[in-house]
């Protein structure tokens, strides 16, 4: 039987903490789930270093290791993995149909959307032009290139604090550009920033232009209180840490979402507006966005999909 004729019980889009937890639960329920790993197998945790707040690891655990372990756990119970991603869905009739980047058509009884979120950029022309040439949204991927150089990190949340701190391993100095006069980051992360002699915080400051033709060669920043613009010619790298946008592209015409694009689920549930379609993890979470909450909603989605199938098929 070809993949296009077979009807799957559960397909899971995304392989971060939400998707893999959903896989563990549905696999243990003998539903033989298929996980479409997406463009970033393992999700955002694969681009972090130490994860200190996932329960069960008193000394912390490296993000990639945590995801590798979770994948093995899902595999152990019979989860199938596809190195592919969903590009289009048709939820007008059941079983549902979807298509992947590899050009295959699939059918499924239930779906768990756990496609996560991707880094946001400011939207400056110069930032886009120099992306990959000194402009990055992943400190762990690209930090190594900035040994003994000065760089800026844009943002005031936990990501910005974490990235700025991490980048001091390489950079001679990290300038943290915070657009307000306070940071959104948790107190413990802020303390790490303030205690680090290699980090200078620039309050009320926004990035207005990335300078340089082929590579980053300085930045222009603006103090939003005084309106004063300054060029920092010594800057060789720009790291964005200004939050994320949910990855919902194939689903936007079918699934309810809020004004910022996050999928909307029913109260105390991961059910979307389409029966048998669930959303878990960062794609539906604009508030917590933690690995452990993603895993929690992945578990909920799995249990809800299992119950829905049971009620439908007896
Ligand atoms: P957040 O949404 O928490 O923070 C985004 C930051 O970027 C804010 O300071 C915001 O400023 C700033 N920002 C947004 N847009 C712009 C802009 N156009 N120009 C300049 N600054 C801008 O995102 P994070 O990615 O930091 O964190 C997301 C979630 O992940 C949070 O729940 C966080 O706690 C969690 N997290 C936890 C970690 C941990 O516990 N170790 C590590 C990393 C993330 P403003 O405050 O003014 O809106």
């Amino acid at each position: 039987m070809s993949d296009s004729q077979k009807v799957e019980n559960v397909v899971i889009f995304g392989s971060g903490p939400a998707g893999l937890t959903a896989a563990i639960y549905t696999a243990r329920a003998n539903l033989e789930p298929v996980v479409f790993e997406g463009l970033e197998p393992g999700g955002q945790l694969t681009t972090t270093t130490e994860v200190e707040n996932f329960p069960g690891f008193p000394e912390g655990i490296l993000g990639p290791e945590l995801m590798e372990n979770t994948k093995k756990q899902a595999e152990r119970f019979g989860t199938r993995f596809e190195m592919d991603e969903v590009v289009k869905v048709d939820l007008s009739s059941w079983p549902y149909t979807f298509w992947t980047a590899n050009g295959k058509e699939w059918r499924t009884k239930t779906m768990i959307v756990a496609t996560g979120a991707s880094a946001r950029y400011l939207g400056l022309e110069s930032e886009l032009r120099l992306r990959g040439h000194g402009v990055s949204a992943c400190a762990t991927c690209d930090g190594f290139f900035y040994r003994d150089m000065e760089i800026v990190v844009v943002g005031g949340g936990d990501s910005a604090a974490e990235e700025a701190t991490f980048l001091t391993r390489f950079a001679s100095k990290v300038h943290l550009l915070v657009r307000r006069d306070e940071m959104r980051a948790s107190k413990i992360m802020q303390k790490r920033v303030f205690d680090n002699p290699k980090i200078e915080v620039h309050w009320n400051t926004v990035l207005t232009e990335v300078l340089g033709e082929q590579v980053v060669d300085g930045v222009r920043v603006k103090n939003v209180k005084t309106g004063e613009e300054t060029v920092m010619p010594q800057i060789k790298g720009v790291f964005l840490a200004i939050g994320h946008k949910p990855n919902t592209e194939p689903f936007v015409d079918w699934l309810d979402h809020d004004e910022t694009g996050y999928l909307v689920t029913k109260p105390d549930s991961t059910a979307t507006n389409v029966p048998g379609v669930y959303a878990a993890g960062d794609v539906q979470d604009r508030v917590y966005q933690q690995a452990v909450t993603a895993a929690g909603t992945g578990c909920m989605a799995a249990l809800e999909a299992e119950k829905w199938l049971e009620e439908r098929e007896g």
Side-chain angles (χ1 to χ4, degrees), residues 254-277:
W254 302 96
L255 301 182
D256 288 347
H257 47 87
D258 68 15
E259 68 290 351
T260 48
Y262 286 91
L263 297 184
V264 174
T265 53
K266 304 214 162 114
D268 300 325
S269 163
T270 59
T272 66
N273 54 304
V274 178
V277 178

PDB file of all heavy atoms in Angstrom, residues 254-277:
ATOM      1  N   TRP A 254      -7.264  27.117   7.792  1.00  0.00           N
ATOM      2  CA  TRP A 254      -8.156  26.123   8.381  1.00  0.00           C
ATOM      3  C   TRP A 254      -8.341  26.288   9.891  1.00  0.00           C
ATOM      4  O   TRP A 254      -9.429  26.039  10.410  1.00  0.00           O
ATOM      5  CB  TRP A 254      -7.611  24.708   8.135  1.00  0.00           C
ATOM      6  CG  TRP A 254      -7.430  24.397   6.688  1.00  0.00           C
ATOM      7  CD1 TRP A 254      -6.278  24.503   5.958  1.00  0.00           C
ATOM      8  CD2 TRP A 254      -8.433  23.948   5.765  1.00  0.00           C
ATOM      9  NE1 TRP A 254      -6.500  24.136   4.653  1.00  0.00           N
ATOM     10  CE2 TRP A 254      -7.818  23.784   4.514  1.00  0.00           C
ATOM     11  CE3 TRP A 254      -9.806  23.654   5.899  1.00  0.00           C
ATOM     12  CZ2 TRP A 254      -8.516  23.347   3.390  1.00  0.00           C
ATOM     13  CZ3 TRP A 254     -10.500  23.213   4.787  1.00  0.00           C
ATOM     14  CH2 TRP A 254      -9.849  23.069   3.543  1.00  0.00           C
ATOM     15  N   LEU A 255      -7.251  26.647  10.567  1.00  0.00           N
ATOM     16  CA  LEU A 255      -7.301  26.645  12.031  1.00  0.00           C
ATOM     17  C   LEU A 255      -7.398  28.067  12.582  1.00  0.00           C
ATOM     18  O   LEU A 255      -6.701  28.975  12.093  1.00  0.00           O
ATOM     19  CB  LEU A 255      -6.058  25.947  12.603  1.00  0.00           C
ATOM     20  CG  LEU A 255      -5.848  24.482  12.162  1.00  0.00           C
ATOM     21  CD1 LEU A 255      -4.608  23.894  12.832  1.00  0.00           C
ATOM     22  CD2 LEU A 255      -7.079  23.629  12.472  1.00  0.00           C
ATOM     23  N   ASP A 256      -8.235  28.234  13.597  1.00  0.00           N
ATOM     24  CA  ASP A 256      -8.390  29.555  14.213  1.00  0.00           C
ATOM     25  C   ASP A 256      -7.067  29.993  14.839  1.00  0.00           C
ATOM     26  O   ASP A 256      -6.367  29.191  15.467  1.00  0.00           O
ATOM     27  CB  ASP A 256      -9.458  29.503  15.323  1.00  0.00           C
ATOM     28  CG  ASP A 256     -10.858  29.362  14.742  1.00  0.00           C
ATOM     29  OD1 ASP A 256     -11.016  29.559  13.523  1.00  0.00           O
ATOM     30  OD2 ASP A 256     -11.791  29.040  15.521  1.00  0.00           O
ATOM     31  N   HIS A 257      -6.746  31.270  14.650  1.00  0.00           N
ATOM     32  CA  HIS A 257      -5.532  31.816  15.259  1.00  0.00           C
ATOM     33  C   HIS A 257      -5.812  33.234  15.731  1.00  0.00           C
ATOM     34  O   HIS A 257      -6.769  33.867  15.279  1.00  0.00           O
ATOM     35  CB  HIS A 257      -4.356  31.779  14.273  1.00  0.00           C
ATOM     36  CG  HIS A 257      -4.699  32.288  12.911  1.00  0.00           C
ATOM     37  ND1 HIS A 257      -4.634  33.604  12.570  1.00  0.00           N
ATOM     38  CD2 HIS A 257      -5.148  31.634  11.806  1.00  0.00           C
ATOM     39  CE1 HIS A 257      -5.006  33.757  11.316  1.00  0.00           C
ATOM     40  NE2 HIS A 257      -5.332  32.584  10.821  1.00  0.00           N
ATOM     41  N   ASP A 258      -4.968  33.714  16.657  1.00  0.00           N
ATOM     42  CA  ASP A 258      -5.202  35.066  17.160  1.00  0.00           C
ATOM     43  C   ASP A 258      -4.515  36.085  16.244  1.00  0.00           C
ATOM     44  O   ASP A 258      -3.927  35.720  15.224  1.00  0.00           O
ATOM     45  CB  ASP A 258      -4.771  35.200  18.632  1.00  0.00           C
ATOM     46  CG  ASP A 258      -3.260  35.099  18.808  1.00  0.00           C
ATOM     47  OD1 ASP A 258      -2.519  35.199  17.814  1.00  0.00           O
ATOM     48  OD2 ASP A 258      -2.819  34.915  19.960  1.00  0.00           O
ATOM     49  N   GLU A 259      -4.561  37.357  16.641  1.00  0.00           N
ATOM     50  CA  GLU A 259      -4.071  38.408  15.742  1.00  0.00           C
ATOM     51  C   GLU A 259      -2.561  38.330  15.516  1.00  0.00           C
ATOM     52  O   GLU A 259      -2.058  38.858  14.524  1.00  0.00           O
ATOM     53  CB  GLU A 259      -4.513  39.808  16.228  1.00  0.00           C
ATOM     54  CG  GLU A 259      -3.896  40.323  17.531  1.00  0.00           C
ATOM     55  CD  GLU A 259      -4.372  39.586  18.797  1.00  0.00           C
ATOM     56  OE1 GLU A 259      -5.313  38.772  18.721  1.00  0.00           O
ATOM     57  OE2 GLU A 259      -3.776  39.819  19.863  1.00  0.00           O
ATOM     58  N   THR A 260      -1.834  37.645  16.418  1.00  0.00           N
ATOM     59  CA  THR A 260      -0.389  37.516  16.202  1.00  0.00           C
ATOM     60  C   THR A 260      -0.018  36.163  15.586  1.00  0.00           C
ATOM     61  O   THR A 260       1.156  35.836  15.452  1.00  0.00           O
ATOM     62  CB  THR A 260       0.401  37.715  17.519  1.00  0.00           C
ATOM     63  OG1 THR A 260      -0.208  36.919  18.528  1.00  0.00           O
ATOM     64  CG2 THR A 260       0.426  39.157  17.942  1.00  0.00           C
ATOM     65  N   GLY A 261      -1.025  35.383  15.238  1.00  0.00           N
ATOM     66  CA  GLY A 261      -0.757  34.143  14.501  1.00  0.00           C
ATOM     67  C   GLY A 261      -0.758  32.879  15.338  1.00  0.00           C
ATOM     68  O   GLY A 261      -0.714  31.779  14.782  1.00  0.00           O
ATOM     69  N   TYR A 262      -0.812  32.990  16.673  1.00  0.00           N
ATOM     70  CA  TYR A 262      -0.805  31.777  17.513  1.00  0.00           C
ATOM     71  C   TYR A 262      -2.120  31.008  17.333  1.00  0.00           C
ATOM     72  O   TYR A 262      -3.199  31.625  17.314  1.00  0.00           O
ATOM     73  CB  TYR A 262      -0.622  32.144  18.996  1.00  0.00           C
ATOM     74  CG  TYR A 262       0.796  32.554  19.307  1.00  0.00           C
ATOM     75  CD1 TYR A 262       1.190  33.884  19.227  1.00  0.00           C
ATOM     76  CD2 TYR A 262       1.750  31.599  19.642  1.00  0.00           C
ATOM     77  CE1 TYR A 262       2.507  34.257  19.470  1.00  0.00           C
ATOM     78  CE2 TYR A 262       3.065  31.964  19.889  1.00  0.00           C
ATOM     79  CZ  TYR A 262       3.436  33.290  19.802  1.00  0.00           C
ATOM     80  OH  TYR A 262       4.731  33.648  20.041  1.00  0.00           O
ATOM     81  N   LEU A 263      -2.026  29.690  17.190  1.00  0.00           N
ATOM     82  CA  LEU A 263      -3.232  28.881  17.047  1.00  0.00           C
ATOM     83  C   LEU A 263      -4.046  28.962  18.338  1.00  0.00           C
ATOM     84  O   LEU A 263      -3.477  28.984  19.437  1.00  0.00           O
ATOM     85  CB  LEU A 263      -2.883  27.426  16.727  1.00  0.00           C
ATOM     86  CG  LEU A 263      -2.159  27.198  15.392  1.00  0.00           C
ATOM     87  CD1 LEU A 263      -1.963  25.696  15.152  1.00  0.00           C
ATOM     88  CD2 LEU A 263      -2.906  27.823  14.218  1.00  0.00           C
ATOM     89  N   VAL A 264      -5.350  28.979  18.175  1.00  0.00           N
ATOM     90  CA  VAL A 264      -6.242  29.091  19.333  1.00  0.00           C
ATOM     91  C   VAL A 264      -6.813  27.711  19.640  1.00  0.00           C
ATOM     92  O   VAL A 264      -7.305  27.017  18.746  1.00  0.00           O
ATOM     93  CB  VAL A 264      -7.387  30.085  19.032  1.00  0.00           C
ATOM     94  CG1 VAL A 264      -8.407  30.094  20.159  1.00  0.00           C
ATOM     95  CG2 VAL A 264      -6.823  31.485  18.809  1.00  0.00           C
ATOM     96  N   THR A 265      -6.708  27.321  20.916  1.00  0.00           N
ATOM     97  CA  THR A 265      -7.266  26.034  21.326  1.00  0.00           C
ATOM     98  C   THR A 265      -8.408  26.268  22.307  1.00  0.00           C
ATOM     99  O   THR A 265      -8.520  27.345  22.901  1.00  0.00           O
ATOM    100  CB  THR A 265      -6.189  25.154  21.992  1.00  0.00           C
ATOM    101  OG1 THR A 265      -5.586  25.906  23.046  1.00  0.00           O
ATOM    102  CG2 THR A 265      -5.121  24.732  20.998  1.00  0.00           C
ATOM    103  N   LYS A 266      -9.240  25.225  22.478  1.00  0.00           N
ATOM    104  CA  LYS A 266     -10.393  25.357  23.389  1.00  0.00           C
ATOM    105  C   LYS A 266      -9.890  25.452  24.836  1.00  0.00           C
ATOM    106  O   LYS A 266      -8.806  24.966  25.143  1.00  0.00           O
ATOM    107  CB  LYS A 266     -11.301  24.141  23.211  1.00  0.00           C
ATOM    108  CG  LYS A 266     -11.741  23.993  21.759  1.00  0.00           C
ATOM    109  CD  LYS A 266     -13.141  23.440  21.628  1.00  0.00           C
ATOM    110  CE  LYS A 266     -13.664  23.727  20.238  1.00  0.00           C
ATOM    111  NZ  LYS A 266     -13.894  22.537  19.421  1.00  0.00           N
ATOM    112  N   PRO A 267     -10.675  26.052  25.741  1.00  0.00           N
ATOM    113  CA  PRO A 267     -10.240  26.184  27.145  1.00  0.00           C
ATOM    114  C   PRO A 267      -9.885  24.819  27.753  1.00  0.00           C
ATOM    115  O   PRO A 267     -10.606  23.841  27.520  1.00  0.00           O
ATOM    116  CB  PRO A 267     -11.457  26.794  27.843  1.00  0.00           C
ATOM    117  CG  PRO A 267     -12.261  27.420  26.757  1.00  0.00           C
ATOM    118  CD  PRO A 267     -11.997  26.647  25.509  1.00  0.00           C
ATOM    119  N   ASP A 268      -8.784  24.766  28.481  1.00  0.00           N
ATOM    120  CA  ASP A 268      -8.316  23.536  29.146  1.00  0.00           C
ATOM    121  C   ASP A 268      -8.165  22.366  28.179  1.00  0.00           C
ATOM    122  O   ASP A 268      -8.430  21.214  28.520  1.00  0.00           O
ATOM    123  CB  ASP A 268      -9.274  23.119  30.274  1.00  0.00           C
ATOM    124  CG  ASP A 268      -9.380  24.199  31.327  1.00  0.00           C
ATOM    125  OD1 ASP A 268      -8.357  24.864  31.570  1.00  0.00           O
ATOM    126  OD2 ASP A 268     -10.480  24.400  31.868  1.00  0.00           O
ATOM    127  N   SER A 269      -7.755  22.636  26.968  1.00  0.00           N
ATOM    128  CA  SER A 269      -7.695  21.598  25.949  1.00  0.00           C
ATOM    129  C   SER A 269      -6.683  22.020  24.880  1.00  0.00           C
ATOM    130  O   SER A 269      -6.304  23.185  24.799  1.00  0.00           O
ATOM    131  CB  SER A 269      -9.087  21.453  25.331  1.00  0.00           C
ATOM    132  OG  SER A 269      -9.035  20.761  24.113  1.00  0.00           O
ATOM    133  N   THR A 270      -6.260  21.057  24.077  1.00  0.00           N
ATOM    134  CA  THR A 270      -5.411  21.399  22.926  1.00  0.00           C
ATOM    135  C   THR A 270      -6.206  21.273  21.631  1.00  0.00           C
ATOM    136  O   THR A 270      -5.637  21.347  20.536  1.00  0.00           O
ATOM    137  CB  THR A 270      -4.184  20.460  22.854  1.00  0.00           C
ATOM    138  OG1 THR A 270      -4.651  19.110  22.733  1.00  0.00           O
ATOM    139  CG2 THR A 270      -3.287  20.599  24.070  1.00  0.00           C
ATOM    140  N   ALA A 271      -7.536  21.072  21.753  1.00  0.00           N
ATOM    141  CA  ALA A 271      -8.376  20.919  20.560  1.00  0.00           C
ATOM    142  C   ALA A 271      -8.477  22.238  19.805  1.00  0.00           C
ATOM    143  O   ALA A 271      -8.667  23.296  20.406  1.00  0.00           O
ATOM    144  CB  ALA A 271      -9.765  20.444  20.972  1.00  0.00           C
ATOM    145  N   THR A 272      -8.359  22.181  18.487  1.00  0.00           N
ATOM    146  CA  THR A 272      -8.555  23.367  17.658  1.00  0.00           C
ATOM    147  C   THR A 272     -10.024  23.407  17.243  1.00  0.00           C
ATOM    148  O   THR A 272     -10.839  22.601  17.715  1.00  0.00           O
ATOM    149  CB  THR A 272      -7.673  23.300  16.396  1.00  0.00           C
ATOM    150  OG1 THR A 272      -8.140  22.216  15.585  1.00  0.00           O
ATOM    151  CG2 THR A 272      -6.207  23.089  16.755  1.00  0.00           C
ATOM    152  N   ASN A 273     -10.338  24.293  16.316  1.00  0.00           N
ATOM    153  CA  ASN A 273     -11.715  24.374  15.821  1.00  0.00           C
ATOM    154  C   ASN A 273     -12.082  23.214  14.898  1.00  0.00           C
ATOM    155  O   ASN A 273     -13.249  23.038  14.564  1.00  0.00           O
ATOM    156  CB  ASN A 273     -11.921  25.704  15.083  1.00  0.00           C
ATOM    157  CG  ASN A 273     -10.892  25.930  13.993  1.00  0.00           C
ATOM    158  OD1 ASN A 273      -9.685  25.917  14.252  1.00  0.00           O
ATOM    159  ND2 ASN A 273     -11.329  26.117  12.767  1.00  0.00           N
ATOM    160  N   VAL A 274     -11.098  22.411  14.480  1.00  0.00           N
ATOM    161  CA  VAL A 274     -11.376  21.270  13.590  1.00  0.00           C
ATOM    162  C   VAL A 274     -11.306  19.973  14.406  1.00  0.00           C
ATOM    163  O   VAL A 274     -10.283  19.705  15.047  1.00  0.00           O
ATOM    164  CB  VAL A 274     -10.370  21.235  12.421  1.00  0.00           C
ATOM    165  CG1 VAL A 274     -10.625  20.018  11.534  1.00  0.00           C
ATOM    166  CG2 VAL A 274     -10.447  22.515  11.598  1.00  0.00           C
ATOM    167  N   PRO A 275     -12.359  19.176  14.395  1.00  0.00           N
ATOM    168  CA  PRO A 275     -12.369  17.934  15.198  1.00  0.00           C
ATOM    169  C   PRO A 275     -11.199  17.018  14.832  1.00  0.00           C
ATOM    170  O   PRO A 275     -10.909  16.810  13.648  1.00  0.00           O
ATOM    171  CB  PRO A 275     -13.703  17.275  14.814  1.00  0.00           C
ATOM    172  CG  PRO A 275     -14.538  18.371  14.268  1.00  0.00           C
ATOM    173  CD  PRO A 275     -13.620  19.373  13.652  1.00  0.00           C
ATOM    174  N   GLY A 276     -10.523  16.505  15.867  1.00  0.00           N
ATOM    175  CA  GLY A 276      -9.415  15.578  15.623  1.00  0.00           C
ATOM    176  C   GLY A 276      -8.100  16.265  15.302  1.00  0.00           C
ATOM    177  O   GLY A 276      -7.096  15.599  15.063  1.00  0.00           O
ATOM    178  N   VAL A 277      -8.088  17.591  15.311  1.00  0.00           N
ATOM    179  CA  VAL A 277      -6.842  18.337  15.057  1.00  0.00           C
ATOM    180  C   VAL A 277      -6.470  19.107  16.318  1.00  0.00           C
ATOM    181  O   VAL A 277      -7.287  19.884  16.837  1.00  0.00           O
ATOM    182  CB  VAL A 277      -6.978  19.302  13.855  1.00  0.00           C
ATOM    183  CG1 VAL A 277      -5.690  20.081  13.648  1.00  0.00           C
ATOM    184  CG2 VAL A 277      -7.345  18.524  12.589  1.00  0.00           C
TER     185      VAL A 277
END
